[in-house]
Amino acid sequence: MLPYLVLAAVVPAVMGIGEAVRRQFATERRRDPLDPVPAKGASSWTYFDLAAVATLVVFSAVRFGIGTDYDTYAIIYGRVDTEDWAREIATAPQELGFTLLLLIVKTVDPTPTTFFWVTSILTVVPAFVAIRQVSARPVLGVLLYVLFAFYLTPFNLVRQGIAVSLLFWATTCLRRRPVLFVVVAVVAASIHSSAVIALAVMWVSHRWRPTPWTVGLILAGAVAGLVGLDRFSALGDLVARLNPRYESYLSASGAGVGTYLQIVLFLALLVYAAVLGRHQDPGVTARTAWMTTFVLIGVAFMIVSTQAIPFGRLAPYFTIFLVLLLPERVAASRNPVAHDVALATGGAAFYAFHLAFYGGLIPYQTYFT
């Protein structure tokens, strides 16, 4: 577990040094979380930011046998035939975009190590860029990205990890760069088809404000989903169209205690964010409303997933916005340092729990060893 703990300490520390250096040379203006393009005079990237994102990429890329998906994708990569692209595309069980990625990377290098370098870059860099450009407190945002396991989850969900990160970044680009949003969203959907459903839900809900009525409606929908799973046979057909493998998941055993603890934690964090928002101006509240709604929808999917695993695959597309929501709330609070410490402490406890009980993450090892 030690390498993971060192990573969680080093990356924010490096970014923190960069922030301290930056403040010595420039006055930073507040950025709109809906607008990823910094205002004139806003801070730019430093070598410390580059070092931080490089550390996250390398830690993920050089892992060997780490995560439940590692061996699966190493085998898939080994079976890809680059001599007949047409046949591979026609017969591959994965989505078109991911199949093309396999073919392109294997044409360059037949060993799976390069493949995991590419998937690590596609997973880490978009998420880091979104946090760095949008977050009111990017150091805290990256710390939460690591501690709340949004960084670790793709070790077990390689394809979906890429799709989640791409869609996360695309969403922050929507207002200023709609064409870029469309392009990145299409790429995400071509990597993992669950992104299509996530996009549809985002489009429907992005203007919802987190009032008692909408909160109640979303949670009631989650409860209704639990009750209706055994009563609507069409659900199995719908899930099978998304991915034939998911249909069998509907009959799987219920979720473990970790899922329930995560649901409670994320609901508690939403309440915490709402309390911090008491002192925010109306403009900030309006900017953070959609993030709050997204996280709540993610929790609703987690609730339904306690009885139907496929719905849990949709949750990360929404819960990842916690890494933008919480720093935005903290930045507007009266004592941000105290809240930084509180979130870091709670996040560290969750991080340790996740490492200890979530599939195949420890002991960490690399292909060098």
XYZ file of all heavy atoms in Angstrom, residues 167 189 192-204 238-239 241-242 246 301 310-311 314 317-318:
215
model
N -15.254 12.224 -21.229
C -16.534 12.919 -21.106
C -16.484 13.986 -20.018
O -17.102 15.058 -20.145
C -17.639 11.902 -20.809
C -19.070 12.331 -21.166
C -19.166 12.754 -22.621
C -20.045 11.198 -20.888
N -17.810 7.762 -26.553
C -18.839 6.761 -26.838
C -18.295 5.616 -27.682
O -18.765 4.475 -27.563
C -20.020 7.421 -27.541
N -16.447 3.290 -25.075
C -17.354 2.515 -24.216
C -18.776 3.022 -24.425
O -19.048 4.220 -24.259
C -16.957 2.637 -22.743
C -17.476 1.523 -21.895
N -18.768 1.472 -21.443
C -16.871 0.389 -21.422
C -18.955 0.381 -20.712
N -17.809 -0.297 -20.688
N -19.666 2.124 -24.787
C -21.023 2.523 -25.182
C -21.833 3.107 -24.042
O -22.823 3.803 -24.280
C -21.769 1.322 -25.767
O -21.749 0.228 -24.860
N -21.441 2.868 -22.793
C -22.181 3.450 -21.678
C -22.147 4.973 -21.716
O -23.019 5.635 -21.134
C -21.616 2.952 -20.347
O -20.247 3.324 -20.216
N -21.156 5.551 -22.394
C -21.068 7.010 -22.496
C -22.282 7.593 -23.208
O -22.652 8.749 -22.956
C -19.787 7.413 -23.221
N -22.917 6.826 -24.087
C -24.108 7.317 -24.796
C -25.238 7.579 -23.805
O -25.898 8.632 -23.844
C -24.549 6.303 -25.865
C -25.841 6.766 -26.537
C -23.454 6.098 -26.904
N -25.469 6.633 -22.904
C -26.511 6.806 -21.891
C -26.156 7.949 -20.954
O -27.011 8.768 -20.589
C -26.722 5.503 -21.109
C -27.240 4.408 -22.037
C -27.686 5.716 -19.952
C -27.439 3.074 -21.365
N -24.893 8.028 -20.555
C -24.463 9.113 -19.670
C -24.698 10.465 -20.324
O -25.183 11.409 -19.676
C -22.993 8.939 -19.314
N -24.377 10.583 -21.593
C -24.603 11.841 -22.315
C -26.076 12.199 -22.344
O -26.453 13.368 -22.153
C -24.076 11.725 -23.745
C -22.584 11.980 -23.937
C -22.147 11.514 -25.323
C -22.261 13.459 -23.755
N -26.935 11.224 -22.589
C -28.371 11.480 -22.632
C -28.880 11.975 -21.282
O -29.666 12.933 -21.207
C -29.116 10.213 -23.056
N -28.432 11.346 -20.213
C -28.854 11.761 -18.871
C -28.327 13.155 -18.554
O -29.037 13.991 -17.968
C -28.377 10.743 -17.823
C -28.719 11.230 -16.411
C -29.008 9.382 -18.066
N -27.088 13.441 -18.945
C -26.527 14.773 -18.725
C -27.312 15.834 -19.462
O -27.573 16.923 -18.931
C -25.061 14.795 -19.174
C -24.113 14.061 -18.273
S -22.408 14.085 -18.914
C -21.539 13.244 -17.590
N -27.683 15.548 -20.704
C -28.434 16.522 -21.495
C -29.788 16.829 -20.865
O -30.224 17.984 -20.813
C -28.633 15.993 -22.917
C -29.377 16.950 -23.797
C -28.906 18.074 -24.391
C -30.767 16.866 -24.150
N -29.900 18.704 -25.106
C -31.055 17.988 -24.974
C -31.792 15.966 -23.862
C -32.314 18.224 -25.502
C -33.056 16.192 -24.389
C -33.299 17.310 -25.197
N -30.439 15.800 -20.337
C -31.752 15.992 -19.713
C -31.638 16.762 -18.401
O -32.491 17.598 -18.079
C -32.430 14.624 -19.471
C -33.679 14.779 -18.610
C -32.784 13.962 -20.799
N -32.857 -4.129 -22.710
C -32.200 -2.832 -22.848
C -30.741 -2.923 -22.437
O -29.846 -2.408 -23.126
C -32.928 -1.795 -21.980
C -32.317 -0.384 -21.956
C -32.342 0.221 -23.352
C -33.074 0.507 -20.968
N -30.480 -3.583 -21.314
C -29.113 -3.725 -20.830
C -28.283 -4.555 -21.808
O -27.125 -4.263 -22.064
C -29.106 -4.372 -19.422
C -27.696 -4.732 -19.001
C -29.736 -3.423 -18.409
N -28.585 -4.715 -24.975
C -28.233 -3.918 -26.151
C -27.010 -3.038 -25.881
O -26.215 -2.763 -26.780
C -29.413 -3.037 -26.573
C -30.564 -3.827 -27.188
C -31.714 -2.914 -27.576
N -32.816 -3.663 -28.124
C -32.926 -4.028 -29.396
N -31.958 -3.685 -30.252
N -33.952 -4.706 -29.828
N -26.890 -2.581 -24.637
C -25.719 -1.791 -24.261
C -24.466 -2.657 -24.287
O -23.437 -2.282 -24.838
C -25.917 -1.180 -22.872
C -24.745 -0.388 -22.300
C -24.444 0.820 -23.161
C -25.051 0.032 -20.869
N -23.697 -7.581 -19.871
C -24.346 -6.973 -18.718
C -25.663 -7.655 -18.338
O -26.108 -7.559 -17.198
C -24.637 -5.494 -18.981
C -23.415 -4.610 -19.030
C -23.526 -3.274 -19.413
C -22.162 -5.101 -18.700
C -22.406 -2.456 -19.462
C -21.045 -4.290 -18.751
C -21.169 -2.965 -19.129
O -20.084 -2.157 -19.177
N -27.552 6.210 -9.338
C -27.141 5.022 -10.089
C -26.449 4.011 -9.181
O -26.611 2.798 -9.347
C -26.205 5.415 -11.233
C -26.905 5.936 -12.455
C -26.581 7.173 -12.996
C -27.897 5.194 -13.070
C -27.220 7.654 -14.121
C -28.550 5.666 -14.205
C -28.206 6.904 -14.732
N -24.940 -3.345 -13.641
C -24.677 -2.450 -14.781
C -24.917 -0.981 -14.503
O -24.236 -0.123 -15.062
C -25.640 -2.964 -15.859
C -25.849 -4.397 -15.526
C -25.822 -4.472 -14.032
N -25.876 -0.669 -13.624
C -26.145 0.735 -13.343
C -24.983 1.399 -12.615
O -24.798 2.610 -12.699
C -27.439 0.863 -12.532
C -28.673 0.571 -13.342
C -29.216 -0.709 -13.365
C -29.271 1.555 -14.106
C -30.332 -0.991 -14.119
C -30.396 1.279 -14.863
C -30.926 0.000 -14.879
N -22.587 3.439 -14.739
C -22.947 4.803 -15.129
C -22.574 5.826 -14.053
O -22.429 7.006 -14.350
C -24.444 4.888 -15.423
C -24.935 4.079 -16.629
C -26.457 4.077 -16.684
C -24.365 4.634 -17.924
N -19.454 8.486 -14.317
C -19.599 9.624 -15.221
C -20.107 10.872 -14.477
O -19.860 11.999 -14.911
C -20.592 9.303 -16.338
C -20.102 8.305 -17.358
C -20.547 6.992 -17.339
C -19.191 8.667 -18.347
C -20.110 6.065 -18.280
C -18.744 7.751 -19.291
C -19.210 6.449 -19.248
O -18.770 5.545 -20.181
N -20.801 10.656 -13.386
C -21.436 11.756 -12.650
C -20.743 12.047 -11.313
O -20.548 13.210 -10.967
C -22.912 11.420 -12.415
C -23.690 11.218 -13.684
C -23.806 9.960 -14.258
C -24.280 12.290 -14.331
C -24.505 9.773 -15.445
C -24.975 12.124 -15.515
C -25.084 10.857 -16.076
